[in-house]
Amino acid sequence: MRLSEIYSTEYRKQIQTNIVFEGEIKPIISFEVFPPKSQNTKLFEELNKLQKYNPSLISITYGAGGSNKDGSLSLVKGIKNLEIATPMPHFTCMCSSEEFLESYINELESLGIENVLALRGDRPKDIEVCHSSFKHADELVKFIKSKTNMSIAVAGYPEKHSEAKDFHEDITNLKKKIDAGAEAIFTQLFFNNDHFYRYKQLVRHAGIFTPIIPGILPITSYSQLEKMTSMCNVEIPKYLSQQLEKHKEDIAATTEIGIDFAIYQCQQLIDEGVEGIHFYILNKAYSTSEILNAIF
Ligand code: FAD
């Protein structure tokens, strides 16, 4: 099923049956996972625990520069066989040749993959020689479109991509990805919904009407959060960081703070009418299932 169908009002109404939801139309639920260092079995157990929430998509990260391509592909195959939700592999073009990318998409297509998340990626620090056939994600979108019939999602940044001079520049560049054929935008994680609302307004104002799916991270570790947010441009609201700071060494308390905060964030986003919510589950079911129990 293509992204434009998954996020359509008709489909959202159709899948509403499994969970009692008192709002108007339930948002589509999706999860992001990454290839585990060892076997996929534990992750599959976690995903099985989340099956009852009727996810529509599971996105699978891809190592920068094609590193861990095999781990990513093996996970894509495993998730396809699990039949919990449609897999959506991520796919980056930084430090990759056109030939390499073409053979990877062919491999995905031969597995019956219909949707991919097309990204530029970042240059890995440990790579000395980096030859990229494509400079930006819009070129990758065009390339995938020219070679396959796949449906393509791209990344969006509610707090602006760190390299962009301003929002105008970033959204002009986002529009290039949509004009090249992307059907949905998945956002970077954020903790202040006001950034998302403002971003959505700017994107719509630029004439982009594809679904914009907010990325939600249930926080489970303060140090991990600091590491993740130091790599991208993400505000942690003061009252949240103060609470987390107080319980820094206490994983259980941090997890509960993360769950409560994500519930609050998701409830507001649902009231705002988002088409979907994409959870960065970090390969664990507990926090996301607590959040979904609370919001539906
Ligand atoms: P682009 O869209 O190319 O944008 C990068 C920068 O260039 C922006 O500042 C943009 O404004 C500018 N730009 C874009 N197009 C043009 C143009 N035509 N001309 C001039 N400037 C332009 N990374 C991974 O390595 N693996 C993953 O699995 C992964 N998954 C992700 C999932 C999501 C939902 C998100 C939000 C990010 C993910 N990332 C992943 C991180 C991502 O690769 C980085 O954020 C990267 O820096 C930008 O990728 P992009 O596709 O947004 O690039």
Side-chain angles (χ1 to χ4, degrees):
M1 187 178 253
R2 297 178 73 83
L3 290 162
S4 50
E5 292 169 65
I6 292 175
Y7 290 102
S8 69
T9 310
E10 295 70 36
Y11 181 68
R12 283 170 59 200
K13 279 183 184 157
Q14 231 181 69
I15 65 154
Q16 202 143 334
T17 45
N18 277 18
I19 299 167
V20 179
F21 181 63
E22 291 171 1
E24 292 197 340
I25 311 178
K26 191 174 92 67
I28 294 293
I29 298 304
S30 59
F31 305 133
E32 178 186 291
V33 297
F34 57 84
K37 285 212 174 81
S38 55
Q39 290 186 346
N40 292 331
T41 332
K42 275 221 161 71
L43 169 58
F44 294 158
E45 284 168 16
E46 296 295 303
L47 287 173
N48 277 324
K49 293 181 200 161
L50 292 168
Q51 183 171 17
K52 63 180 177 204
Y53 303 105
N54 211 9
S56 295
L57 281 172
I58 299 176
S59 86
I60 300 109
T61 64
Y62 180 89
S67 61
N68 201 16
K69 169 191 156 242
D70 294 341
S72 192
L73 198 61
S74 138
L75 186 54
V76 172
K77 287 182 193 162
I79 288 178
K80 188 147 199 315
N81 292 337
L82 216 55
E83 293 186 349
I84 290 178
T86 305
M88 179 173 72
H90 298 195
F91 189 1
T92 63
C93 58
M94 173 74 80
C95 306
S96 291
S97 68
E98 198 173 309
E99 294 71 32
F100 177 87
L101 294 170
E102 184 166 357
S103 89
Y104 190 63
I105 339 174
N106 288 340
E107 219 166 335
L108 291 177
E109 243 200 341
S110 68
L111 292 175
I113 299 300
E114 287 182 285
N115 305 301
V116 289
L117 176 56
L119 301 143
R120 182 198 68 179
D122 294 311
R123 185 180 172 145
K125 288 191 186 80
D126 52 351
I127 285 194
E128 274 177 33
V129 184
C130 170
H131 169 74
S132 313
S133 291
F134 305 120
K135 235 174 140 188
H136 288 289
D138 62 318
E139 294 171 43
L140 179 63
V141 174
K142 256 185 231 150
F143 181 69
I144 300 171
K145 276 268 149 204
S146 72
K147 300 283 172 191
T148 74
N149 189 29
M150 283 183 188
S151 165
I152 306 167
V154 289
Y157 302 85
E159 293 170 71
K160 189 180 78 56
H161 187 266
S162 53
E163 291 164 32
K165 183 174 84 223
D166 52 31
F167 273 106
H168 176 72
E169 181 181 295
D170 210 22
I171 292 171
T172 303
N173 290 327
L174 174 71
K175 180 121 185 358
K176 293 178 189 161
K177 302 196 266 193
I178 304 300
D179 291 344
E183 292 176 25
I185 299 159
F186 283 74
T187 79
Q188 180 161 279
L189 59 98
F190 58 90
F191 299 101
N192 179 347
N193 285 356
D194 287 343
H195 293 303
F196 178 79
Y197 304 144
R198 182 185 53 176
Y199 181 70
K200 193 168 173 180
Q201 231 175 18
L202 291 171
V203 170
R204 296 290 182 244
H205 191 69
I208 300 170
F209 299 102
T210 48
I212 307 173
I213 312 305
I216 297 296
L217 173 76
I219 300 164
T220 51
S221 150
Y222 193 40
S223 57
Q224 186 184 45
L225 176 71
E226 282 183 315
K227 199 171 141 211
M228 285 171 91
T229 53
S230 71
M231 294 189 287
C232 47
N233 199 18
V234 172
E235 181 211 349
I236 307 174
K238 204 158 181 207
Y239 56 92
L240 177 61
S241 65
Q242 280 170 344
Q243 273 197 61
L244 291 167
E245 186 82 39
K246 259 195 254 164
H247 301 279
K248 225 174 176 169
E249 311 303 331
D250 184 342
I251 291 183
T254 303
T255 302
E256 293 313 311
I257 294 168
I259 291 169
D260 287 346
F261 191 79
I263 292 171
Y264 159 79
Q265 254 197 302
C266 291
Q267 273 164 343
Q268 305 249 315
L269 290 165
I270 292 169
D271 290 345
E272 201 264 345
V274 288
E275 297 99 327
I277 303 181
H278 191 59
F279 290 96
Y280 294 106
I281 71 165
L282 302 180
N283 291 8
K284 294 269 186 272
Y286 174 72
S287 295
T288 304
S289 60
E290 291 294 298
I291 297 160
L292 289 168
N293 285 340
I295 60 176
F296 294 133

